[in-house]
Amino acid sequence: MTDEVQDIDQARRIARRFASEEGVNEARAEAYADVWYEAGKDDDASTETALRAHLRRRFAGSH
């Protein structure tokens, strides 16, 4: 089983779950996920784990 992000809707679901778990703005998390997905991700880092790490970095940088 892989945790590869298959489509933009899955990326948004992951972002919403992340926002709920971390207590951050859901709309912003989704926007960050959209940009991450649309940018083509990284060929080596297109997993849920990579998306969550990206979201963590983005929200850490916004404090």
Side-chain angles (χ1 to χ4, degrees), residues 39-55:
K41 309 158 284 191
D42 255 342
D43 290 334
D44 296 341
S46 58
T47 63
E48 178 173 348
T49 302
L51 173 54
R52 287 176 159 276
H54 172 75
L55 292 170

